[in-house]
Amino acid sequence: MNDLFATIEEAKDERRAIQMADGIETTADELHRCEVQSVIRRYFPDGDPKPFFADVEKFRGKVAADKLRADCRVAWAAHRDEIAGKA
């Protein structure tokens, strides 16, 4: 079986070129916002995101994990309050 790209870098370059051609811009802030939403969707209300945060800290460092934890706490509380208001 032959892969289309020889390296992951080639695949990333191709994806970036496609996004640029389509006018799609993905910033670090946008990726972070989507990750926060993903954590809330996966773990709210009874899940335990601690293993996920541990992996983030392992691979991206404590600063990134702490920022994600803090932003998820805010989003979690907002989501909880939104649900409580609808009940």
Side-chain angles (χ1 to χ4, degrees):
M1 177 175 162
N2 290 333
D3 289 331
L4 179 61
F5 301 107
T7 66
I8 191 70
E9 286 76 24
E10 283 184 37
K12 286 180 182 179
D13 290 344
E14 179 67 13
R15 179 175 175 83
R16 193 173 303 115
I18 291 169
Q19 287 180 328
M20 286 174 57
D22 290 342
I24 299 169
E25 293 184 27
T26 305
T27 64
D29 290 337
E30 178 67 11
L31 291 174
H32 179 75
R33 185 188 65 77
C34 291
E35 187 171 33
V36 169
Q37 287 179 340
S38 174
V39 169
I40 300 305
R41 274 194 310 271
R42 282 195 273 174
Y43 299 105
F44 186 86
D46 298 321
D48 182 9
K50 289 176 189 159
F52 178 79
F53 293 138
D55 283 344
V56 170
E57 188 166 337
K58 178 180 174 183
F59 293 106
R60 289 190 250 160
K62 183 164 176 36
V63 172
D66 286 347
K67 178 174 174 38
L68 184 60
R69 282 184 193 103
D71 291 346
C72 285
R73 281 187 195 104
V74 171
W76 191 285
H79 190 65
R80 181 194 61 223
D81 294 345
E82 180 183 316
I83 297 295
K86 290 182 180 178

